[in-house]
Structures are given as structure tokens and as C-alpha cells.
Amino acid sequence: MVETRIQSVHSMDYKYQQIYKNLKREILLRHFLPDQKLPSKRELAKTLNVSVNSINAAYQQLLAEGYIYAMERKGFFVEKLDAFPLSARSPETISPDLEEKSQSRKGWLSFSHMSIDRTLFPFENWLKCEHQALKMRQNMLDDDSSRYPQGIRSVRQTIARLLSITRGVKCFPEQIILGSGTQILLQILDGLIEENKVFALEEPGYQRVYRLLETLRRPVETVRLDAKGISIEAIRRINPSVVYVTPSHQFPTGIVMPISRRIQLLNWASEQADRYIIEDDYDSEFKYQTDAIPCLQGLDTYKRVIYFGTFSKSLLPGLRISYMILPEQLLRIARARFSFLMQTCNVLTQITLQQFIDSGFYHKHIKSMRQIYETRRTRLIAAMRVQFGAAIKIYGINAGLHFLAEFDTKRSMDEILNRAAQEKLELYSLERCVLKEHYFTKKPTFIIGFANLANGSIDRAVQLLYRAIYQ
Ligand code: 76U
């Protein structure tokens, strides 16, 4: 039995390692039972046609790890090991992870709102910056990041400067905390706010934030939107402590919160000492025709806004660099409570990002992407209006990387999604943004991302969508 299994073991191993591994597996599979005597070294050496030394080395390793025990002059015996439950024995009982399950979308057209156009990213310039980062600041790579729990200071300085110019954010680098994603930062923030305080989210809104807060056992309510964004009356009815909003471009409806509503919201927060507003400014770099709309944080004189930003849309989602900016009183708590936390962003990526921004590559990239994305948006909407006529309603201002499209059709949302998949069209419905209640619209509505629709593929994508909905 042992002999036949030896062949299957990796050939890079020494002989004794192969024998050790096989015996270990046989013991764990209970082909050898507790207290059963193992063949003598000499016997096994003969059967396997290896030296006694190899067998001895294998037995010594099994002995050291506690799989077998030795009895003087009697030989080696299998330890009394509890059996693993059957379900734990075979890896086939674990379902494949999401990455394996997600279909390979080679050759598909995509309306995904989650991606950006990677093919237009200036990788050459990024590499130049990474090269410089390695040359000039290599010494930072041998720290373990515990020296800069909030992220490298010079990187935060660069980000503070950038945000002051482009977003009207008013902050010191000390207030910025970097993190490898919005969710991880939100977990930190959750730990700064008293346990029983209620968070309120926009409905429809960002599911990944909603589910994270629920998992953290944070009481969460959702608040309806009106034409100006989150409704203040509804906030008053719920009486939360923290309100999470996407005022520059509501996710997913695309509403921009006008100044009147911003002032109301800030005033609401100022009424009590424990009220805060989380401003998630996830895609504010992309405003077309109009200038970028200054953020809430810059308007806030009460120090109640916690600003969240990310490079996932403006650069690449795979970089995993996001940040939050805390008002002083929360920063004080964070430093007292979380000084033991280590920074989650990769050091090399942080320094490369700093170089990329400081050398002007960032501005250049945003400027060119803004034009490209705007053209895609305009052409896509024009093509949709031609194809769908009065049957389509589009929500969302001229901004960002997505809009909502609602269709007059008898076909159900799920049926449309299935048909789209058959047509090799990546498509997401509004359902993924329905947090607690479905009030916004009952008609099939889709989040239409256009970042990956180069001009040549727009007509084809619209045709496929038409087929999925009407044919
Ligand atoms: C992010 C909103 C509303 C932040 C977002 C996104 O972790 O910094 C969308 C989905 O990369 P991070 O998150 C940025 N706030 O929509 C990005 N959204 C994801 C990628 F597009 C997922 O699941 O519907």
C-alpha cells in the first residue's frame, strides 16, 4: 500500500520525505489504526527498495511530529489520533471560491460599473515612478509599517495637497488615514463610534458598506432619497448619529446634492455633539461639462464630516489605496485606541502613488480619462435613445462612470440578466443596491457602466442589451 502511493509524491522531495508524507497520509486516513505497529525499518526498506537510513529519517520525522511513538525493542506504533470528521477530510467539500466561480468573461462586452478602462492606464509612467520609488526610498521597505500606522507621511501630504486643489478638502496630513479599501477604513471608523449609535445609509445605496456594518453589528437604517438626495425629514424621523452619503454623485442614482441640501445636512449634524456625516467621494474626479463640485468636507465648519476617497476609479481598483480624513476629535480617539494597528497599504504602492501625483502624471491621466469617458457616456446614451426610444428612462447627471437605465418591459429583471449572460453581456441590476426596501422603481432597472465601452463596441453592446430585454 505504501509502496504504490510513493510514485504520486512530488519528485523534488528526498526519498525519506516521500516516505514520510505517504505514511502521514495513511495514518490520517486511518489506513493505519491507532496503536497499530508499523513495519520494521529493515522490512520497509526492503519492500520499498530504499536504504534503512531513509526509513529511519522518515520515522524520526513522524516521531517528532507526534504521529507515531516508539517502544523500546518493540518498534514504532501509530499514535492515538482522533479521527477528523468525514467532512473535513476531503477538500472537495469546500465550494470553489468566488474567483473560480466567476465566469471567464473573455470576449464579453461589459456594462459593469465596477471596472475602469485598464488599457488606457499609463503603465509606463507608473513604472517610472515605481522605479524612482525603489531607487530613492528603498530604505522604507524594510520597516514593517508600524512606524506609519496612518500611511507614510509624505504620501499623506501629497494627498492633502491634491484634495485641497481638486476637491476643496480642508485638512492637515495628520488627519488622513490610508487603508487598502473603503471597507477596512470603515471598520476602523466603526470602532471610533459608540456601539449603540445608529448609522443611516442612502436607499438605494452601496451594498458592500451596508453589509459590512450589519456584520459589525452596527444598528443600520436606510433613508429614502428625493430629488436632492438624502431626505432631511426622513433623517429626523430615524434620528441616527452617523449619516453615510455620496453627495457628489449618489451611488447608484447619480443625483448630485445641491448646496441647499448640503447646508441642511451640515446644520443637522451640528445640532448634537455626537452627530457625524460620512462623505464618500468615490468618483468625484469625473464630472463632465461642469467643474467638479466642491465637497461637503470643505464646507463644514462644525468638524462633523468624515471624508472618504479612493484611487479605485481615478487610477486602478487593483491598487487598493483609499483614505479617510477624520475630524480632530475622532482623530484623537483613533490615535488613543488604534495606535497598535498596522497600515494595510503596500509601502511601494504608496510611494509610487506619491511620485505619480507629484510628477503631474495623475493630473494628466485624469484630464485625458475625463474626455474619453465623457465621449463614451454621450455616445452610449445617444445609441440607447435610438434603440429604445420611449421605452427607456435614464437617471443620473453627466458625471461618473455609470448611470441608471429603466426599461418598459414585461420581462423580469432576472430573465433579462440571464439572457444578457447568454449574449455574453456583463450586466448588473439595481437590485444589488437595494438595501432594505424597494421603493425607487419597480421597473427593471440596470446600473449601466460605460468605462469599458470603447467607441467601436457601443452599438454592439446596445444591440445585445436590446436582445436581452425585448427579443
Ligand atoms: C467605492 C462606493 C459607493 C466606494 C463605490 C466604490 O474599496 O475604495 C460596486 C458594487 O475600492 P474601494 O471602494 C470604492 N464607494 O461604489 C467602488 N465600488 C465597487 C467597485 F466599483 C463595487 O459592488 O456594486
Side-chain angles (χ1 to χ4, degrees):
M1 183 164 50
V2 175
E3 188 177 18
T4 51
R5 283 165 199 264
I6 275 188
Q7 327 300 337
S8 64
V9 175
H10 209 280
S11 59
M12 294 283 281
D13 290 340
Y14 288 113
K15 273 204 183 102
Y16 88 87
Q17 285 172 324
Q18 297 178 7
I19 298 163
Y20 149 79
K21 280 184 187 167
N22 283 313
L23 282 169
K24 186 167 82 173
R25 194 177 56 219
E26 296 301 292
I27 292 170
L28 285 174
L29 288 172
R30 310 215 125 203
H31 294 155
F32 285 114
L33 292 172
D35 295 324
Q36 186 178 337
K37 187 174 183 304
L38 291 178
S40 77
K41 293 182 202 167
R42 217 166 285 281
E43 230 178 293
L44 192 54
K46 222 167 135 191
T47 327
L48 297 178
N49 197 21
V50 296
S51 71
V52 176
N53 276 348
S54 296
I55 304 292
N56 187 45
Y59 277 16
Q60 289 308 321
Q61 186 62 31
L62 290 168
L63 202 58
E65 290 183 35
Y67 285 94
I68 60 176
Y69 58 90
M71 283 177 57
E72 224 170 314
R73 279 193 293 278
K74 284 197 177 141
F76 294 91
F77 297 82
V78 176
E79 264 297 355
K80 294 176 204 55
L81 302 175
D82 289 342
F84 284 120
L86 245 120
S87 60
R89 268 190 218 155
S90 87
E92 290 100 71
T93 57
I94 301 169
S95 63
D97 59 33
L98 212 53
E99 185 181 335
E100 275 175 75
K101 270 198 295 195
S102 59
Q103 293 156 299
S104 145
R105 298 217 173 86
K106 217 167 163 219
W108 286 42
L109 288 181
S110 175
F111 278 126
S112 169
H113 59 291
M114 293 181 248
S115 52
I116 47 88
D117 191 339
R118 170 186 46 83
T119 62
L120 298 173
F121 186 77
F123 282 104
E124 290 283 319
N125 292 343
W126 184 265
L127 267 174
K128 266 186 225 158
C129 295
E130 187 164 306
H131 189 81
Q132 258 173 355
L134 273 177
K135 215 161 93 186
M136 320 279 292
R137 319 257 304 263
Q138 207 179 69
N139 61 322
M140 303 204 81
L141 287 167
D142 51 40
D143 297 306
D144 59 7
S145 291
S146 55
R147 277 209 301 131
Y148 20 78
Q150 293 185 211
I152 296 166
R153 192 185 153 74
S154 60
V155 180
R156 287 183 282 126
Q157 261 165 341
T158 290
I159 292 177
R161 219 176 302 128
L162 173 73
L163 293 177
S164 145
I165 299 166
T166 59
R167 306 293 306 121
V169 168
K170 293 191 196 120
C171 75
F172 295 104
E174 286 78 2
Q175 292 169 263
I176 302 183
I177 300 184
L178 301 189
S180 60
T182 297
Q183 288 178 325
I184 201 103
L185 292 167
L186 199 63
Q187 286 185 55
I188 296 176
L189 180 64
D190 179 74
L192 305 178
I193 309 278
E194 267 178 69
E195 266 174 39
N196 53 352
K197 305 276 182 199
V198 176
F199 278 44
L201 268 52
E202 297 164 318
E203 179 83 77
Y206 189 22
Q207 173 101 232
R208 289 179 202 270
V209 160
Y210 176 71
R211 292 182 55 186
L212 175 76
L213 289 171
E214 279 213 320
T215 307
L216 294 171
R217 299 170 194 270
R218 171 64 61 184
V220 192
E221 297 294 338
T222 64
V223 183
R224 285 177 179 228
L225 309 173
D226 61 24
K228 294 181 172 180
I230 201 162
S231 143
I232 303 288
E233 287 87 75
I235 291 180
R236 290 199 181 281
R237 273 197 300 277
I238 291 168
N239 194 27
S241 291
V242 181
V243 174
Y244 179 98
V245 285
T246 44
S248 302
H249 190 226
Q250 202 276 332
F251 185 76
T253 62
I255 297 171
V256 176
M257 189 184 287
I259 185 71
S260 57
R261 182 61 52 88
R262 288 175 190 238
I263 294 172
Q264 284 178 327
L265 189 59
L266 288 168
N267 285 340
W268 166 84
S270 75
E271 288 165 12
Q272 279 181 31
D274 61 351
R275 287 184 180 167
Y276 289 101
I277 300 164
I278 301 175
E279 173 177 31
D280 180 1
D281 214 17
Y282 67 104
D283 75 354
S284 57
E285 295 82 4
F286 300 110
K287 288 279 176 300
Y288 317 122
Q289 303 300 325
T290 51
D291 282 347
I293 295 154
C295 65
L296 261 181
Q297 197 270 4
L299 272 180
D300 173 27
T301 48
Y302 308 117
K303 302 184 174 165
R304 298 315 178 84
V305 174
I306 302 149
Y307 181 92
F308 272 67
T310 177
F311 292 98
S312 292
K313 304 277 180 191
S314 52
L315 296 179
L316 296 167
L319 291 179
R320 307 313 296 139
I321 295 203
S322 310
Y323 48 88
M324 72 174 164
I325 304 179
L326 295 179
E328 289 151 39
Q329 65 279 28
L330 285 181
L331 180 69
R332 240 175 274 125
I333 303 176
R335 288 189 166 174
R337 211 170 273 180
F338 287 140
S339 61
F340 67 92
L341 278 184
M342 287 167 76
Q343 175 50 229
T344 54
C345 287
N346 175 315
V347 171
L348 184 56
T349 313
Q350 287 180 64
I351 310 171
T352 306
L353 172 71
Q354 187 194 334
Q355 295 279 356
F356 194 79
I357 297 171
D358 289 347
S359 343
F361 293 136
Y362 179 85
H363 282 295
K364 197 170 146 211
H365 178 57
I366 297 297
K367 205 171 150 205
S368 109
M369 291 316 291
R370 217 178 263 148
Q371 255 176 15
I372 291 165
Y373 287 145
E374 181 185 14
T375 308
R376 287 183 187 178
R377 183 179 185 278
T378 313
R379 293 202 178 158
L380 175 60
I381 290 182
M384 283 180 135
R385 294 218 187 277
V386 170
Q387 182 70 254
F388 296 100
I392 188 175
K393 188 171 171 194
I394 288 171
Y395 298 90
I397 58 141
N398 194 2
L401 306 179
H402 74 273
F403 53 83
L404 287 184
E406 174 192 284
F407 295 91
D408 254 332
T409 172
K410 296 232 156 28
R411 209 164 269 172
S412 76
M413 196 101 96
D414 283 344
E415 206 180 339
I416 296 169
L417 289 177
N418 281 336
R419 283 173 188 255
Q422 277 162 20
E423 301 284 355
K424 297 194 171 173
L425 181 66
E426 188 177 5
L427 182 65
Y428 296 95
S429 78
L430 177 64
E431 295 294 307
R432 73 185 287 121
C433 301
V434 174
L435 309 181
K436 280 195 177 184
E437 68 167 329
H438 204 306
Y439 85 93
F440 184 66
T441 166
K442 292 267 188 288
K443 291 185 188 167
T445 304
F446 300 93
I447 311 169
I448 303 292
F450 46 83
N452 268 304
L453 292 177
N455 294 335
S457 54
I458 288 178
D459 289 339
R460 175 96 188 120
V462 172
Q463 255 174 28
L464 295 181
L465 185 62
Y466 185 82
R467 274 201 232 156
I469 303 177
Y470 294 109
Q471 277 182 1

